Amino acid sequence: MIRTNLRYHAPFSVEDACRILAASESGAVIGGGTVLLPRMTRDERSVLDAVHVRNLGLSEIEQAGDTVLIGAGVTYTEVLEAREGLVPSLLTTMARGITGGAQIRNQGTLVGSAAYANPGSDVPAVLVALDTTLLIQGTRGTREVRAAQFFRGPFVVDLGPDEIVTQLSIPHAEGASGYAKLKLSESSWPIVTAAAVAAPSTDGGWRYRLAIGGACGVPIPVDLGFLGRDRFELDAETAGQVRQNVQDTLGELWSDELAPGSYRQQVAGPIALKALAHLDQEMSS
Amino acid sequence: MTLTHSPAATANPDLDPGQSAGSNVEHGERVRRKDGDLILTGRGRYLDDIELPRLTHAAVLRSPHPHARIISVNLDAALRMPGVVTALSGGQAMPLAGPVPHYYDPAVAGERTAEFRCLAVEKVLYVGQPVAAVVAETLHEAEAALKFIEVDYEVLPFVTDELAALEPGAPRIFEDWDDNVLIRSAFAEGDTDAAFAGAAHTLREEIRIQRYNTAPMETRGYIATWGLDGVLTFHGSSQNPHPLRSNLATSLGVPETKIRVVAARLGGGFGHKFHGYPEEPLVCVLSKIVGRPVQWLETRSDSMLVGAREMVHHIEVAFEDDGEIVAWRNLIHANIGALGSMAGWGMSFVAGMAFPGPYRVKNYDVTSLAIVTNKAPWNGARGYGKESAALAIERTVDRVAQELGLDPVQVRRRNFIPSDEFPYWTAAKRLDSGNYDGVMDKVVELAGYDALRLEQVSVRGEGRLFGVGVAFELTPEGGDFPGDLVRGFDTSTVRVDPSGDVRVLTGVTSPGTGNETGIAQVVARELGVSVDTVTVYQGDTDVSPYGYGNASSRSMNVGGGSALLAARDVKERLALAAGVLMEDDPAALTFADGWITTTNGHRMRFSEVARAVFTQSIAIPAMNQPQLESTRTYGPDNLLHVPDEHGRVSPYPTYPNSGHIASVEVDRDTGVVRLLSYAAVDDCGTVINPTMVEGQFFGAIVMGIGGALWEELPYDNSGRPVAGTFKHYLMPRTPDLPEIRIGSQVTPSPFTILGTKGAGEGGVAGAVACIANAVNDALRPLGVTAHQMPLSGPRVLEAINTAVPL
């Protein structure tokens, strides 16, 4: 049961939302509420002012030049139902794999998941791999933060108490993608995720990006520079190098009740290779 | 997941079904569950659906420390919070409620015991122990006030590891004990040392089963209301309402006649809703104080405090070249937490008693130590220690096969108790009947075992880790433990109304399994009426005869058995009346399809005869039966508490069994286990309703799979439980499971009136052992074993990492 005298707000402007948050002793933004509400019910989070994004006009997926803008209210289902080509395939692949049933897919939002920054969730590594920029608005104006900098630590993000992530801005330069995650069972949080992207470069080649989630407290971009700009072949040598680069890149490991950091470290390489195998398959097709 | 059933029921030709199936009627009809539509359409009312006027809500403040002395409790600030009606500390509760009576007091078995209050008074022994309570107008207000209760603790050293708890200098959980061992249960036959000395082979293993419980969909809850007449009405999600009533009377110092317990419809029991919890008398005390109804509902994290099953088997086995097992030696360390008044500690006894399983092993020496620690206490959990025993037994049988290069099915067949040796005695069991080879034949066929082994050769050839698991489960059921209110018999009343409708009032309860439908079937068949005209009343202590509720798959054995006897009495009276009315020999009448028919074809409706009994029995003197009601008590014949000439007793009367075969693939890179196929065949004696039995068997198998692979309630180094939600405690979901194929064999018990042995619990133990064997079979090419359950990805990868590179 929620133990505070919770005030619920559904303002009609982002400015009002930020003012409410700024004035609150303990405010929180509700995207879909799939994480926040259970946490409040379990007394894991004490909130006095809950600000819902539903009236803020942030439930759209829009094309804006070379980027796609995804509003803070956009759910996984809306990503899945977006017209073909509007959102990067990596996002749809990721959204398709969200478990928890229709309740979670219909209610949960990408921005909400990003703001929660659970190391064991799907969204953070995907945003890093897509080189996403988070558009943030607060009482002192707006700012932009790249995903790789947004995630500061487990459940910690670069977001002030009066700020809201209004949109995700994703460069629409994805040529192909691959995604893999390891779960212990269907109901498990992902233990390790790997998101791989091949973006066409202006010189006609490819720029490869890989991000690992779940192994550390924040998603970790992995250097794939050794692949060059040509179409890569996932042979034993390449696989070995990928494994090595993953191991070299991982910092402080993340442990929780489902798996110790040592396990996440060991499986990160194989999961990365699965993501690259999917990428390879998509590039081939 | 797909569930399929193989209609393979056949009776054991070696046994005379007529000896046991005393009802002389056919069984096995797939009658629709009586309340199934109600539940499926969301109209079933559970505890939280009960609406009482002026209901208040209780919240419980729990200890944040695994071991601490309570210096003071200050409720002042909490009492000033909005909506708060009252607050209570342990010291204040002391004069209002005595110790919570044990579900089964270890003192009755001549062992140590301890007292537990509804709120801790001097010390807390585990994180989560109730320390204080608040009652408020709303649950929100009650919970919000908890953080304003000030408790001053003196933190004490604690111990959560069972081996550390055995060390001489370990923190003492109970200061008046000289160590942390509650009970040493020993089970032995033959000359184990000599058998080990003379055996061709021996091997030793350490097998650990983790702390986990049953996670019923509906958590616990209680509502207490004191009437103006001084009568306490207690609505509870409880499996044992009558014993709970008795214990509330003891704790509260109230005449038992002044207490009515109503067991609400249960959304799962599994032992989690055995009584003995501190919140039971607590809500009664709180309701007395506030003069209004008080409700307490268990949160999911509260329910995950309750432990079970955590044991380590230090096991040795001695065997010959042909696979004959000649001896077992096992030392079990059970980490039962801080004891409590619930039913959990008994699992350590049963884990030892269950040896040597279904095998004809004449030498064994098993000792089980129940060790107290600063973890939360156990309560019962489906399997009740038998899953732990099955895991240890079946893993070592597989290890024997592995050592000898024999097929594990073959080794089991080599050691099974032959069908013609039943009843078969062990140190603490007289096994009723069985055809274990028959069950094994069926499951081998159902699983396509030979094809699985061929597939294994092929898949292993690709370097993949493919395993086939075999396990056999023997499940002692229906236990009777003298000295406390855990009994192996029960009582039912059968009452026919003037309309011809039939009421059955029984002391057994349903945890949601549908046993009321089975009991109605037994009575309906005996009386020759439709099941629809039979209504079964359970769970209200003011309505049903005193009974022992639901536990240990006992409901059909004793609820069905006693109802059958009572129905026979009523039938006899109806026959007498019908004989007079139709001028025929009562013994020659036929009861079927709602009619009572004479040998010459005359017939009257069942309802007509019933009405005649009520309206004409004095007018027609020969009838002389003015009432259609009987109450009978029944218990199986195989409950043996007086030691025989060898000192043997048998507290469990029936022994259903099942065979299991599964295949898995282990991901070499991650250790994650993928379950590929599952087949199982059970033999629970006579089957009253196959649909119900199959449902229970499927559920038990899935529960066993969950425990084998994922479910766990770990503690951190600070003595705190870390699993509080289903994102920490991983339950199986449909995509985790393969098609589950089940079959059945019927070998009636010669000791129960219906030939039943009990269904509901069986399947958990076999599944735990089967999955463990399958995973270890998959790991065989690496030369490693994984004996720390659950076999989650990290655990299995840890085992893989120990492999010596080729």
Side-chain angles (χ1 to χ4, degrees):
Chain A
M1 189 64 71
I2 295 171
R3 300 184 181 192
T4 61
N5 286 320
L6 181 70
R7 290 181 292 270
Y8 173 82
H9 309 267
F12 287 87
S13 74
V14 176
E15 291 75 14
D16 283 349
C18 295
R19 274 195 289 273
I20 293 166
L21 290 170
S24 176
E25 284 178 48
S26 175
V29 178
I30 299 179
T34 59
V35 169
L36 182 63
L37 266 65
R39 293 194 72 220
M40 288 195 293
T41 301
R42 294 193 297 264
D43 198 32
E44 294 168 0
R45 177 89 194 267
S46 180
V47 175
L48 290 172
D49 293 281
V51 180
H52 203 159
V53 301
R54 66 188 174 98
N55 293 330
L56 299 180
L58 297 175
S59 298
E60 301 297 324
I61 303 174
E62 306 165 58
Q63 185 84 41
D66 290 339
T67 62
V68 59
L69 297 173
I70 296 178
V74 171
T75 66
Y76 297 106
T77 297
E78 286 163 342
V79 167
L80 289 170
E81 292 176 350
R83 67 177 164 77
E84 193 174 347
L86 180 59
V87 298
S89 63
L90 181 56
L91 279 186
T92 51
T93 303
M94 183 271 292
R96 199 175 297 121
I98 295 290
T99 51
Q103 297 96 324
I104 299 297
R105 286 192 294 273
N106 289 345
Q107 195 71 23
T109 63
L110 280 69
V111 167
S113 179
Y116 182 46
N118 178 1
S121 63
D122 293 82
V123 168
V126 166
L127 296 189
V128 170
L130 288 170
D131 196 20
T132 304
T133 297
L134 292 94
L135 310 184
I136 295 170
Q137 186 168 337
T139 51
R140 287 163 296 177
T142 61
R143 63 191 179 101
E144 298 181 359
V145 181
R146 292 179 68 180
Q149 283 75 51
F150 179 73
F151 298 103
R152 293 273 184 87
F155 307 102
V156 179
V157 293
D158 178 8
L159 196 65
D162 65 326
E163 290 183 315
I164 289 178
V165 178
T166 55
Q167 287 176 311
L168 306 174
S169 173
I170 303 173
H172 208 316
E174 178 204 51
S177 66
Y179 186 65
K181 62 179 169 181
L182 173 69
K183 294 170 59 166
L184 301 183
S185 70
E186 190 68 12
S187 62
S188 160
W189 287 115
I191 302 299
V192 166
T193 65
V197 170
S201 61
T202 50
D203 60 7
W206 298 94
R207 286 181 293 114
Y208 297 106
R209 287 194 299 270
L210 172 67
I212 303 293
C216 302
V218 295
I220 301 294
V222 178
D223 179 17
L224 293 181
F226 74 95
L227 291 179
R229 290 176 176 268
D230 295 333
R231 178 79 168 79
F232 70 91
E233 188 179 343
L234 198 55
D235 53 18
E237 187 184 347
T238 304
Q241 189 63 56
V242 170
R243 281 176 186 264
Q244 190 60 51
N245 282 13
V246 168
Q247 293 303 316
D248 291 346
T249 311
L250 296 181
E252 191 176 346
L253 298 166
W254 170 245
S255 293
D256 65 13
E257 58 283 339
L258 295 182
S262 57
Y263 178 74
R264 296 166 194 270
Q265 181 180 32
Q266 189 172 349
V267 301
I271 299 305
L273 289 174
K274 280 191 180 180
L276 285 172
H278 293 163
L279 173 66
D280 182 36
Q281 200 174 6
E282 192 170 309
M283 292 177 82
S284 300
S285 63
Chain B
M1 178 180 68
T2 307
L3 309 177
T4 55
H5 173 251
S6 170
T10 54
N12 175 5
D14 296 327
L15 291 169
D16 175 13
Q19 185 184 9
S20 54
S23 62
N24 295 320
V25 295
E26 292 178 11
H27 291 299
E29 198 175 338
R30 291 182 182 274
V31 171
R32 280 172 62 85
R33 183 173 170 157
K34 289 185 80 70
D35 58 359
D37 293 344
L38 204 65
I39 294 169
L40 278 177
T41 53
R43 290 175 292 152
R45 284 169 56 81
Y46 295 83
L47 184 100
D48 197 24
D49 297 316
I50 295 172
E51 294 175 359
L52 296 177
R54 303 180 71 233
L55 181 70
T56 59
H57 302 265
V60 174
L61 182 71
R62 297 179 182 276
S63 168
H65 303 294
H67 198 192
R69 204 171 303 283
I70 298 172
I71 307 300
S72 64
V73 179
N74 187 336
L75 304 170
D76 293 347
L79 284 165
R80 290 194 296 270
M81 290 298 292
V84 170
V85 181
T86 195
L88 190 70
S89 68
Q92 292 170 329
M94 275 210 42
L96 304 174
V100 184
H102 287 260
Y103 182 94
Y104 185 71
D105 194 337
V108 172
E111 302 295 333
R112 293 162 162 172
T113 190
E115 284 187 355
F116 301 91
R117 298 277 172 166
C118 61
L119 295 171
V121 180
E122 294 178 348
K123 276 174 66 177
V124 288
L125 302 176
Y126 58 92
V127 170
Q129 184 168 0
V131 172
V134 173
V135 177
E137 298 293 343
T138 68
L139 181 56
H140 156 80
E141 290 166 329
E143 290 188 344
L146 290 180
K147 65 178 62 170
F148 293 91
I149 298 175
E150 297 167 15
V151 185
D152 188 13
Y153 294 99
E154 176 195 349
V155 175
L156 300 171
F158 68 93
V159 61
T160 53
D161 178 81
E162 68 281 351
L163 286 181
L166 292 177
E167 294 292 326
R172 203 81 53 74
I173 312 305
F174 301 106
E175 291 174 6
D176 55 336
W177 296 12
D178 57 13
D179 61 22
N180 287 321
V181 178
L182 170 70
I183 181 170
R184 286 178 170 80
S185 306
F187 307 89
E189 274 195 302
D191 187 341
T192 301
D193 289 344
F196 265 87
H201 310 273
T202 64
L203 62 84
R204 179 193 303 238
E205 295 290 351
E206 182 178 295
I207 299 168
R208 291 174 173 268
I209 187 164
Q210 78 279 18
R211 179 184 174 98
Y212 69 111
N213 63 20
T214 56
M217 191 182 297
E218 178 210 31
T219 54
R220 290 182 297 131
Y222 311 116
I223 304 173
T225 312
W226 293 83
L228 295 175
D229 54 0
V231 171
L232 167 66
T233 302
F234 184 94
H235 293 269
S237 53
S238 171
Q239 293 175 237
N240 314 89
H242 277 102
L244 174 56
R245 184 187 74 185
S246 301
N247 287 356
L248 285 176
T250 301
S251 179
L252 299 171
V254 173
E256 198 166 346
T257 50
K258 293 284 190 183
I259 301 177
R260 176 189 180 196
V261 173
V262 183
R265 179 187 298 282
L266 293 191
F270 311 118
H272 185 74
K273 291 169 184 171
F274 290 161
H275 54 85
Y277 287 102
E279 293 89 355
E280 292 158 357
L282 176 62
V283 292
C284 302
V285 167
L286 293 171
S287 175
K288 187 86 171 176
I289 291 170
V290 302
R292 293 168 61 181
V294 173
Q295 180 188 58
W296 173 82
L297 297 174
E298 184 184 51
T299 66
R300 182 57 65 186
S301 63
D302 290 344
S303 79
M304 288 186 181
L305 286 171
V306 181
R309 299 180 169 127
E310 184 178 5
M311 297 186 204
V312 186
H313 296 262
H314 308 273
I315 188 166
E316 297 171 82
V317 61
F319 51 102
E320 304 294 355
D321 290 335
D322 62 355
E324 181 192 4
I325 295 171
V326 294
W328 254 307
R329 197 184 277 135
N330 190 14
L331 174 62
I332 304 169
H333 289 151
N335 185 338
I336 66 167
L339 181 57
S341 297
M342 297 101 82
W345 71 269
M347 276 182 273
S348 67
F349 172 89
V350 173
M353 186 214 72
F355 272 76
Y359 302 113
R360 191 177 181 280
V361 176
K362 291 297 187 183
N363 307 289
Y364 55 92
D365 187 350
V366 178
T367 301
S368 180
L369 270 64
I371 302 163
V372 293
T373 65
N374 291 113
K375 290 184 175 179
W378 290 6
N379 201 353
R382 193 185 200 180
Y384 205 75
K386 304 153 202 171
E387 74 291 343
S388 184
L391 174 69
I393 290 170
E394 294 300 298
R395 270 306 297 142
T396 47
V397 172
D398 258 32
R399 289 284 294 114
V400 167
Q402 184 182 336
E403 286 294 304
L404 298 173
L406 298 174
D407 186 284
V409 170
Q410 181 187 345
V411 173
R412 284 173 174 80
R413 290 190 193 281
R414 175 70 185 81
N415 290 285
F416 276 150
I417 300 163
S419 296
D420 58 4
E421 291 195 18
F422 291 98
Y424 180 92
W425 270 106
T426 73
K429 303 185 293 294
R430 188 171 73 162
L431 308 185
D432 45 2
S433 65
N435 176 11
Y436 303 156
D437 270 313
V439 169
M440 189 57 88
D441 288 343
K442 286 186 170 63
V443 74
V444 162
E445 183 183 347
L446 188 64
Y449 181 69
D450 294 339
L452 284 176
R453 287 295 182 196
L454 289 174
E455 184 182 357
Q456 182 175 43
V457 171
S458 164
V459 174
R460 276 185 176 165
E462 299 168 16
R464 291 156 58 194
L465 301 176
F466 181 97
V468 179
V470 180
F472 202 90
E473 168 187 335
L474 180 74
T475 311
E477 294 291 27
D480 180 279
F481 295 91
D484 236 322
L485 296 171
V486 183
R487 307 314 308 269
F489 55 88
D490 224 297
T491 304
S492 297
T493 297
V494 171
R495 182 182 293 165
V496 177
D497 292 342
S499 62
D501 287 346
V502 182
R503 299 170 192 261
V504 182
L505 289 58
T506 181
V508 302
T509 58
S510 171
T513 56
N515 64 44
E516 68 285 344
T517 304
I519 292 170
Q521 283 180 255
V522 169
V523 171
R525 283 196 171 274
E526 187 64 24
L527 297 179
V529 298
S530 164
V531 175
D532 295 338
T533 67
V534 181
T535 302
V536 178
Y537 296 83
Q538 299 171 293
D540 186 336
T541 59
D542 273 9
V543 174
S544 295
Y546 197 102
Y548 301 96
N550 168 257
S552 199
S553 304
R554 65 195 299 277
S555 301
M556 286 312 303
N557 286 346
V558 293
S562 56
L564 174 63
L565 290 176
R568 283 181 180 170
D569 290 345
V570 171
K571 182 180 182 180
E572 193 177 321
R573 294 176 193 176
L574 279 161
L576 185 65
V580 171
L581 293 168
M582 293 189 283
E583 298 180 349
D584 199 356
D585 177 6
L589 299 174
T590 305
F591 286 64
D593 301 326
W595 293 90
I596 302 172
T597 308
T598 66
T599 48
N600 59 12
H602 293 158
R603 64 179 193 170
M604 290 180 72
R605 289 186 183 278
F606 181 91
S607 56
E608 287 179 89
V609 178
R611 183 169 179 81
V613 169
F614 282 95
T615 59
Q616 299 187 61
S617 58
I618 303 301
I620 306 175
M623 287 173 62
N624 199 25
Q625 293 291 336
Q627 183 58 282
L628 291 174
E629 178 169 326
S630 172
T631 298
R632 295 288 292 268
T633 296
Y634 171 75
D637 295 336
N638 201 31
L639 290 168
L640 305 168
H641 295 303
V642 178
D644 71 355
E645 66 274 21
H646 304 291
R648 302 176 300 197
V649 296
S650 186
Y652 282 89
T654 58
Y655 297 87
N657 49 85
S658 56
H660 302 248
I661 293 177
S663 64
V664 302
E665 181 164 3
V666 174
D667 184 336
R668 193 187 289 259
D669 287 331
T670 64
V672 169
V673 176
R674 190 160 63 96
L675 190 48
L676 302 173
S677 69
Y678 202 102
V681 171
D682 83 323
D683 188 340
C684 60
T686 301
V687 173
I688 305 298
N689 186 323
T691 303
M692 304 292 168
V693 170
E694 288 160 18
Q696 290 304 302
F697 197 41
F698 280 130
I701 289 168
V702 173
M703 186 174 275
I705 291 170
L709 292 177
W710 305 295
E711 297 175 41
E712 187 171 19
L713 293 168
Y715 275 63
D716 65 18
N717 292 334
S718 63
R720 292 174 176 79
V722 296
T725 78
F726 285 131
K727 295 304 284 185
H728 309 141
Y729 186 90
L730 304 181
M731 300 274 286
R733 291 185 183 176
T734 303
D736 293 314
L737 302 168
E739 176 187 22
I740 295 176
R741 286 171 286 162
I742 64 170
S744 64
Q745 174 178 275
V746 176
T747 308
S749 167
F751 299 118
T752 60
I753 192 168
L754 291 164
T756 51
K757 295 182 176 182
E761 192 170 30
V764 174
V768 169
C770 183
I771 298 300
N773 281 343
V775 172
N776 278 281
D777 190 50
L779 297 177
R780 267 187 77 179
L782 304 178
V784 301
T785 55
H787 284 169
Q788 163 73 68
M789 309 293 281
L791 298 174
S792 60
R795 289 257 164 71
V796 175
L797 191 61
E798 198 177 325
I800 291 172
N801 287 342
T802 65
V804 179
L806 295 174

